[in-house]
Amino acid sequence: MYGIERVFRGTEPVLEMAICMDCRNKISKDLSKESSQRISAFLEERFDFEMRFENTKKWGGDEIEKWLDRCVLLKTPKEECRNFQIAAICRGGLMSIDLLPIMISEDASREMQKLMSKKTRDRLGDMVDEFFGQPSEFADGPENFSPMIW
Ligand SMILES: [Zn+2]
């Protein structure tokens, strides 16, 4: 199993990464406890898991746009999100379709980054560096992209 994230600037995908669950869990352990707790609290407040579960149960696998039509945290419709990222869980060549895939607006991502300690932001920044070399100019630096290691 592995996760995929793709970052969009407008309609253009500018960055994509895949990470296996082992690596993801390792990085997750490096993040500060305070940051993880603050992010969990934020998610609990903003991500209506129950509603998500209800909805996704009703949607068909051929309606994948419905999974991504608004930010799961701020509920902003996709047309109003200039920049956003999407995340999915895959196994082999297949994408798992349940609560994920999800779309996160740049505004929501920024809010979450504000909840992170410097240590945590640096660790995620290092991760982006490791994956992509120097922060690429199209990504505008890692501060504008935070991998969804929650
Ligand atoms: Zn790995």
Side-chain angles (χ1 to χ4, degrees):
M1 280 206 346
Y2 57 98
I4 293 185
E5 287 187 43
R6 184 179 284 178
V7 180
F8 287 83
R9 296 279 175 264
T11 54
E12 199 186 342
V14 292
L15 197 150
E16 184 170 52
M17 61 180 276
I19 183 168
C20 77
M21 290 305 154
D22 285 347
C23 292
R24 184 188 179 286
N25 293 340
K26 263 181 231 155
I27 291 167
S28 164
K29 286 200 189 88
D30 288 346
L31 306 184
S32 83
K33 209 170 176 186
E34 297 73 31
S35 300
S36 302
Q37 280 167 353
R38 282 196 295 265
I39 296 286
S40 303
F42 178 82
L43 290 176
E44 212 163 290
E45 190 187 305
R46 298 303 188 104
F47 195 161
D48 191 340
F49 287 95
E50 219 165 284
M51 176 68 84
R52 181 75 178 171
F53 192 64
E54 287 277 300
N55 285 337
T56 53
K57 243 184 352 194
K58 284 183 268 176
W59 298 338
D62 55 345
E63 302 176 290
I64 205 67
E65 283 307 313
K66 287 190 178 172
W67 268 260
L68 306 171
D69 77 339
R70 60 193 59 235
C71 172
V72 288
L73 301 175
L74 302 181
K75 313 288 183 286
T76 320
K78 192 172 172 187
E79 320 68 271
E80 293 170 27
C81 303
R82 210 174 71 80
N83 302 324
F84 58 91
Q85 63 200 81
I86 59 178
I89 302 285
C90 300
R91 191 193 292 268
L94 297 173
M95 181 172 73
S96 134
I97 298 177
D98 40 57
L99 293 185
L100 270 68
I102 53 172
M103 189 272 269
I104 306 274
S105 62
E106 187 180 40
D107 289 346
S109 176
R110 271 217 191 97
E111 273 193 48
M112 277 193 287
Q113 288 173 54
K114 279 187 213 144
L115 302 173
M116 295 173 187
S117 65
K118 184 173 183 320
K119 181 191 162 203
T120 294
R121 281 199 310 270
D122 286 350
R123 181 66 190 90
L124 293 176
D126 287 350
M127 177 187 163
V128 173
D129 279 354
E130 280 161 29
F131 266 81
F132 300 105
Q134 286 302 305
S136 24
E137 59 176 34
F138 51 71
D140 303 320
E143 68 275 9
N144 283 335
F145 167 60
S146 185
M148 292 186 220
I149 309 283
W150 298 339

